[in-house]
Amino acid sequence: MTTPLSRRAFLGTALCALAAPAWAGAPDVSLRPRARPRDIARSVATRGPSAPSTSALIAEARLSGNVGFAVSDATTGLILEEGDAALGLPPASVTKAVTALYGLDTLGADHRFQTRLIATGPISGGILKGDLILAGGGDPTLDTNALAGMAAALKKAGLRELRGKFLVWGGAVPFRRAIDETQPEHAGYNPALSGLNLNFNRVHFEWKRSGGKYAITMDARSDKYRPDVTTARMRIAERSAPVYTYRGTAQRDEWTVARSALGNGGARWLPVRQPELYAGEVFATFARSQGIELGQPKITRKAPSGTVLATHRSDPLSTILREMLRYSTNLTAEMVGLASSAARLGKPVSLSASAREMTEWAQAVLGMSGARLVDHSGLGDASRLTAASMARGLGKAHKAGLLKPLLRDIPLRDARGRTLKSQPAKVVAKTGTLYFVSALAGYMTTPDGAEMAFAIFTASDSLRAKVNSAQDERPPGAAAWNRRAKTLQQALIERWSTVYGG
């Protein structure tokens, strides 16, 4: 389903105009193709060293699999160079760049997610004669500090005692126990999805060895607090493998860890599979510190109504997206995408339905023909984008001035991994990595001031087919393959800067 574009003041007519046939009307600059010399290397000899051909660069990378790339003039949209650019390949986390544009167009840069405390009855003499509901609004950035602030606000609102139940509601987003069920159960980047999320739906597991015994903590720590939790519990098992096992019960996440894997100490973030109860327990801890006893949280499926006692508002969407693109947080991408689809369709929808809606939007608005997305984060490897459509979409976003300010700098490096002091191009882009998949898409500005949009997708289906992603955290050869893919990405960027930078 494709719905009309948002008419928010933030966008004005930028993307709306771009939804028309590609660059319809009189352009600001001529779209006449540049004449390409027969011998590019000789033509650039007076400007510097010759540029290797793309085929030579790809051969040197020694990547089994496919390479698709496209680079365009970011101002005019003119394709300067491409190779297998119509081949659909997994975009991995480059998908998040599309999600960012989807969220900006649908929700607006100033959109803020809200988490509310709602009373279903009156407060008299500090006593609430009704239920208290912690109601999530799909905020992907809600953290422990925010819940502490909400507990203080609850006390300030005059509540001293709760006579009803303490309920938690996450129905703003359909619950999903993991973004991608094929990933390892203990992968912190693959948590549950809910309308009520905390700390990116991760719990902090820490262990320390002393006198031959281990001290274990499971907490919802932040830079200010370390509240212990019981909704996630860890037990040490006498085995060598697997390192972790998981079992969900009605009240908690039950984990075990192999003693042989622990060493003397360490820590890691584990995914939370029951996010509403997790957030509820942490909030109840802070409420107790304010003298308010709430008891154990219980999940409610009924949309809450009543008097709002306190509200936490997230940072503006533009800030959230900048952090998402910098740290590649999967939960943020899924929450933004799901919220955008709910706004467009008028109701919450499943992740698969939301991904289809974003796909149709990308095709209609960004001209991304051939796009097929299964989520908003790029974690699912069944998604497909072509390099040509990605470069085209980036060009349209550049014309609207939307994405480039949110992308992070990608420094170019020498053969030893050191940042080049003299950069042949300034690159801001989004990276994407899965096993035997590496993607990079964004913008480059040459020393001569030329601005280009580009996309480079590399993937090996044959090597990926050998990986059991639910168990293999370090498939043999994956790290080396991805390093070679990144080397190829930089080599292509350096070539384009040399050949088209004037």
Side-chain angles (χ1 to χ4, degrees):
M1 175 179 179
T2 302
T3 58
L5 292 179
S6 165
R7 296 300 189 268
R8 295 178 182 274
F10 164 71
L11 287 173
T13 59
L15 278 178
C16 300
L18 296 179
W23 286 275
D28 296 330
V29 296
S30 171
L31 298 186
R32 183 174 60 190
R34 299 174 182 175
R36 294 188 182 183
R38 293 181 180 178
D39 188 342
I40 291 177
R42 185 165 57 241
S43 74
V44 299
T46 59
R47 293 161 48 195
S50 61
S53 68
T54 57
S55 58
L57 294 175
I58 293 171
E60 185 178 357
R62 296 178 292 109
L63 288 176
S64 60
N66 298 298
V67 177
F69 64 87
V71 60
S72 67
D73 184 307
T75 302
T76 66
L78 175 69
I79 293 293
L80 303 175
E81 194 167 270
E82 61 181 17
D84 279 341
L87 179 64
L89 294 170
S93 284
V94 166
T95 304
K96 293 181 176 73
V98 181
T99 301
L101 291 169
Y102 185 52
L104 289 170
D105 182 44
T106 306
L107 303 174
D110 296 327
H111 174 80
R112 295 173 186 261
F113 296 92
Q114 295 187 9
T115 305
R116 300 170 295 159
L117 285 169
I118 300 173
T120 65
I123 297 177
S124 177
I127 299 173
L128 171 54
K129 298 178 180 179
D131 299 331
L132 179 69
I133 307 171
L134 177 62
D139 184 356
T141 61
L142 185 73
D143 62 7
T144 295
N145 293 349
L147 289 188
M150 293 187 74
L154 185 63
K155 181 178 181 180
K156 189 175 181 180
L159 183 66
R160 298 291 181 270
E161 183 181 344
L162 174 64
R163 292 283 175 85
K165 297 185 290 292
F166 174 42
L167 304 175
V168 286
W169 181 76
V173 169
F175 174 79
R176 186 179 174 100
R177 70 173 300 278
I179 299 171
D180 181 7
E181 290 286 359
T182 69
Q183 300 295 323
E185 190 70 77
H186 57 273
Y189 56 77
N190 185 40
L193 302 180
S194 166
L196 180 58
N197 309 290
L198 177 65
N199 298 334
F200 302 105
N201 287 343
R202 298 179 306 169
V203 63
H204 190 263
F205 165 47
E206 185 173 11
W207 63 96
K208 293 181 180 179
R209 187 177 183 177
S210 178
K213 295 183 178 180
Y214 285 98
I216 289 177
T217 58
M218 299 284 275
D219 60 62
R221 69 179 54 192
S222 68
D223 59 341
K224 295 181 179 179
Y225 307 101
R226 280 188 57 174
D228 290 333
V229 298
T230 62
T231 48
R233 189 162 59 184
M234 181 66 72
R235 180 177 62 84
I236 296 176
E238 299 294 341
R239 63 170 186 265
S240 58
V243 175
Y244 291 97
T245 68
Y246 170 83
R247 181 175 65 90
T249 70
Q251 296 297 320
R252 61 176 56 90
D253 295 334
E254 299 279 5
W255 293 93
T256 73
V257 61
R259 180 183 293 273
S260 61
L262 293 180
N264 290 325
R268 73 174 295 162
W269 289 92
L270 292 170
V272 167
R273 303 289 179 217
Q274 303 190 57
E276 296 97 340
L277 294 178
Y278 174 56
E281 181 183 13
V282 173
F283 179 76
T285 297
F286 286 119
R288 192 179 309 116
S289 72
Q290 298 289 343
I292 308 169
E293 187 62 49
L294 299 180
Q296 293 295 320
K298 298 183 183 299
I299 295 174
T300 179
R301 304 300 180 190
K302 182 180 178 181
S305 61
T307 303
V308 177
L309 302 180
T311 301
H312 171 76
R313 303 176 74 227
S314 73
D315 287 336
L317 182 62
S318 57
T319 301
I320 290 174
L321 293 176
R322 185 177 292 109
E323 294 297 294
M324 176 193 78
L325 293 170
R326 179 180 181 185
Y327 296 108
S328 204
T329 45
N330 292 330
L331 183 128
T332 301
E334 303 303 350
M335 289 297 108
V336 170
L338 286 163
S340 300
S341 295
R344 286 170 60 82
L345 298 172
K347 62 179 181 180
V349 295
S350 68
L351 179 58
S352 58
S354 183
R356 287 194 298 271
E357 183 69 15
M358 187 171 83
T359 297
E360 293 183 8
W361 174 89
Q363 292 170 346
V365 176
L366 298 179
M368 299 183 72
S369 58
R372 188 176 81 250
L373 303 172
V374 300
D375 57 30
H376 305 291
S377 64
L379 189 57
D381 64 0
S383 287
R384 293 293 182 270
L385 288 177
T386 72
S389 66
M390 190 70 206
R392 187 181 306 116
L394 289 170
K396 292 192 174 186
H398 182 271
K399 193 175 181 71
L402 300 179
L403 186 63
K404 187 177 179 181
L406 303 180
L407 295 171
R408 69 181 180 93
D409 291 339
I410 305 294
L412 303 183
R413 303 182 183 277
D414 64 17
R416 298 176 63 182
R418 299 170 301 189
T419 300
L420 293 172
K421 293 181 179 179
S422 178
Q423 296 277 321
K426 176 177 174 57
V427 179
V428 293
K430 182 70 191 79
T431 60
T433 304
L434 296 169
Y435 300 137
F436 302 107
V437 171
S438 184
L440 184 69
Y443 304 98
M444 56 181 289
T445 304
T446 70
D448 295 331
E451 291 195 76
M452 290 168 254
F454 70 90
I456 308 167
F457 295 149
T458 59
S460 174
D461 290 339
S462 60
L463 292 176
R464 284 188 60 76
K466 300 176 183 178
V467 177
N468 182 348
S469 59
Q471 297 180 4
D472 296 341
E473 287 200 80
R474 296 178 178 86
W481 190 96
N482 282 75
R483 282 195 298 270
R484 294 197 299 274
K486 292 182 184 302
T487 299
L488 172 61
Q489 292 161 5
Q490 177 167 318
L492 289 170
I493 288 170
E494 290 175 336
R495 168 187 162 77
W496 296 331
S497 177
T498 300
V499 176
Y500 304 110

